[in-house]
Structures are given as structure tokens and as C-alpha cells.
Amino acid sequence: MVAIRSAAAEEALVEDDAATSQEPDDLANKSVIKATVLLKELGHHRQGITVTDLAQAGDMTRPTAFRLLLGLEQTGFVQRIDNRYVLGWQVARLGRLANPHAGVVARIQPILDEYARRINETFSFVMVHDEGDHKVIAEALGSRYLSVSHQYLGGIYPLHASATGKLILAEQSDDRIAAELPETLDSHTPFTITSRDALLRELGKVRDQGYAILDNELEEGLFAVGCPIRDSAGELIGVITVNGPTQRLKSERLPETIHEVRQAADKVAAALA
């Protein structure tokens, strides 16, 4: 009888848990949510920000922001320097332990799949970190026989010879690029931009038009269009690209394709917000 009652009680607990998981967001702790809003906003102000400005940015009252910051400061997630707040040492420690891609792929994969079906070409997503560090973490394939497949998944692109790399470099000033890149760049195909000055002119176009194109520069026959993914502060956090054979993508449909990639970029940005 004891075993029967125990099993029944356990089943009831499972049912209760399932019901709880379907409850609306009213069960969420609003203070925790507001605290995470403050932490995210602090990430945009490395030199620090006052509690008044932080409260305004987080759309909350100053007393509420101050109370939350006090608790975060006591636990090491926030540090106060004079009258300004910055992220604390606990954030850095947990950041080293966390998987930077955890949960990202699950959020954006349906979007990549949707647009790969719509355009019938390969879509890729690159996560961008500080100082241009980047990695291809997700892709979706079109159904065409000739397609780009898993070639760079898990890897990185050469900055001067990829749509992603051009968008990353375009975030920097020409003076910094000139200081960091040699005058002659590595050649991957006869079409690779190997002159630093020519690359700087190309990056000027990228900044003006808001997207980058790869035209046979990494592999002959490979064409790509890349659009940036930005967070709420305008920081580059990723790049989405469509990749395929030059004869298909470099056609009269190119303006429409660029529009589709822009739409996909907006959807990914919203999914990661």
C-alpha cells in the first residue's frame, strides 16, 4: 500500500509540475527580471553609469533600481565606483563558465530553415564576440543539388575574404584597420581583394549599404550576401549570410535576395533580444 501511495503521490507531483509549467508569466519573479534588465544595460556602459540614468534606461523608478543594484553589489554582480555602476567580478566568472552559444541555435534555427526554404540556398549564422572573434554556429541548407554544406560550420572566415569578415572589419575605423592589416593580404582565388587600400574602399561601401557581398573571393564559384545582427545598443553580435553558386545568386534577383537576408537578420535580432 505504501508503494502504491508513493507512486500516486509522485504522479500527482508530476502533474502539478506540468500544470505549473503551463502557467502564464505571472509566476515569474519581477524583481529578478528587472535585475537582469539592469545587468544587460550595464553591459553597454563599460565606463559605468549612474543609478538615475540606469533606471531611466531600464524603464523603472530610481528607488527600485537602487534597491536592485544594492543586492547585486552585495553578491558581486555589480560594482560601484564613486556614483557609477559597472558589471562585477561574478559576471566575469560566470561568463567564463557559460557556453556562449547555449540556447542561441535553438532560437535562430527555425528562422534559418524558413529562409533557406524560401530562397532555396544555404543560410549561415555567425556569432560575433569582442575584437572580431567569431564562429559559424548554425546553418540551414536549401534543397538544390549544388549547395554549400557544412563547410565552415564550427569554424571561422578570413576577415578580408568573406562577407562576414567584411562586416566585422567595417565596425572598425580605417586607421585601426590600416594599423592592423598588412599592405598585401592573403590570396584565396584570383578575385580575392589582396590590397589593403582596395579593401578599405570595399569596407566604405559595406558601411554605406549596410550589407556585404562575397564574389568569388574565398572560393571560385561561391557568392554570398551578409547582413549584420545588432543588439539594442547597436553593437554587432552576429552575421547572417546566404551562400550559393555565383551563377544563381549573382543574378537579376540579387536585390530581392538582399531584401530577404535583411528580413532574416531583423528576425534573428528580435529572437536574440
Side-chain angles (χ1 to χ4, degrees), residues 19-247:
T20 299
S21 67
Q22 296 173 2
E23 289 289 337
D25 291 339
D26 293 346
L27 291 178
N29 189 306
K30 291 182 172 57
S31 293
V32 173
I33 294 174
K34 290 180 178 179
T36 61
V37 168
L38 293 180
L39 290 173
K40 288 175 66 175
E41 187 63 31
L42 283 171
H44 301 316
H45 302 275
R46 294 189 178 183
Q47 303 305 315
I49 182 173
T50 65
V51 63
T52 301
D53 291 339
L54 194 55
Q56 183 176 4
D59 193 25
M60 63 187 74
T61 65
R62 187 180 185 281
T64 296
F66 183 80
R67 174 176 56 82
L68 294 170
L69 287 169
L70 181 62
L72 291 169
E73 184 182 2
Q74 291 174 347
T75 53
F77 287 92
V78 163
Q79 180 181 0
R80 181 171 54 181
I81 303 174
D82 295 328
N83 67 333
R84 303 178 75 84
Y85 291 86
V86 297
L87 292 175
W89 62 273
Q90 279 281 23
V91 175
R93 185 183 74 85
L94 293 178
R96 290 192 296 270
L97 298 175
N99 178 354
H101 306 144
V104 173
V105 175
R107 291 187 177 196
I108 67 172
Q109 191 65 55
I111 301 171
L112 298 183
D113 292 340
E114 174 191 351
Y115 280 86
R117 287 193 301 268
R118 287 172 62 166
I119 299 182
N120 211 9
E121 299 289 358
T122 299
F123 270 75
S124 300
F125 176 78
V126 177
M127 180 70 78
V128 179
H129 303 287
D130 291 340
E131 301 300 323
D133 180 32
H134 66 284
K135 180 180 289 187
V136 186
I137 67 169
E139 72 172 14
L141 305 182
S143 61
R144 296 181 186 270
Y145 179 70
L146 294 176
S147 63
V148 180
S149 61
H150 301 285
Q151 210 165 6
Y152 291 98
L153 190 60
I156 61 175
Y157 294 114
L159 292 180
H160 71 288
S162 65
T164 294
K166 290 176 185 178
L167 285 165
I168 292 173
L169 288 174
E171 296 293 294
Q172 305 176 17
S173 68
D174 284 355
D175 289 342
R176 180 175 179 181
I177 295 169
E180 294 184 352
L181 293 183
E183 289 186 10
T184 302
L185 307 168
D186 292 339
S187 177
H188 297 273
T189 76
F191 304 97
T192 304
I193 298 175
T194 56
S195 163
R196 184 178 63 195
D197 290 341
L199 178 63
L200 290 175
R201 290 192 293 272
E202 175 76 2
L203 297 180
K205 290 173 54 180
V206 170
R207 296 184 189 107
D208 290 341
Q209 62 197 17
Y211 62 88
I213 283 179
L214 173 75
D215 188 359
N216 291 285
E217 299 153 61
L218 181 58
E219 297 178 22
E220 290 194 60
L222 175 63
F223 192 90
V225 177
C227 287
I229 313 293
R230 300 187 183 278
D231 63 16
S232 59
E235 295 292 327
L236 182 69
I237 59 172
V239 174
I240 188 169
T241 62
V242 59
N243 319 276
T246 303
Q247 65 268 25

